[in-house]
Amino acid sequence: YACRVKHVAMCLGEGSMHRLVSCCPGLEQLWLAGLVQPGVDMRPLLQLTALSELCVGGRAVTDDVACDVLSQLSGLRRLAIFEARQFTDRGLLALTALQQLTELTAGYCASSREVSSWCNYDEGGWLELKQEVRCS
């Protein structure tokens, strides 16, 4: 599972997220890193009940987005967050609500070493958490 962040023009502005969700309500995987303009309402993602993998990033991903949207996507199994300088410890801690999450990757975000000291946080600024899933 990899999400490559490229320097591209942001293309999802106000109203785009709602249109995307309306057109594709059964999405299971979605990669939006660097494509959403800052301040765009990301709450329409909550309507994607089949969403299991999400990659987001850029200035649109903040602690508020993590708390109000990402942490509410209860079906997520894999989440990647890249180049989100407004995603800090508060946003990272909000994601602990995602009980189905088995893989979390964050790169070049603003979470501190203290909060992430219990996980794999390398010198390059990458945080990676994986949880083994066992069948009963």
Side-chain angles (χ1 to χ4, degrees), residues 1-92:
Y1 174 62
C3 179
R4 293 194 175 114
V5 178
K6 297 180 181 179
H7 295 286
V8 296
M10 289 179 253
C11 61
L12 295 178
E14 200 59 50
S16 297
M17 194 68 64
H18 179 70
R19 285 190 299 277
L20 173 71
V21 169
S22 296
C23 288
C24 309
L27 279 177
E28 295 177 6
Q29 301 174 346
L30 183 59
W31 288 267
L32 293 173
L35 298 177
V36 181
Q37 293 178 355
V40 168
D41 184 6
M42 295 180 71
R43 286 178 292 172
L45 292 176
L46 297 172
Q47 298 171 31
L48 296 175
T49 57
L51 195 63
S52 63
E53 296 183 23
L54 178 64
C55 179
V56 293
R59 295 182 305 158
V61 181
T62 64
D63 285 342
D64 289 341
V65 168
C67 293
D68 299 339
V69 180
L70 300 179
S71 68
Q72 304 302 312
L73 295 169
S74 60
L76 280 184
R77 298 179 65 75
R78 298 167 91 177
L79 175 60
I81 302 170
F82 294 100
E83 294 188 16
R85 305 290 183 195
Q86 301 301 313
F87 176 75
T88 69
D89 296 347
R90 185 169 73 93
L92 182 61

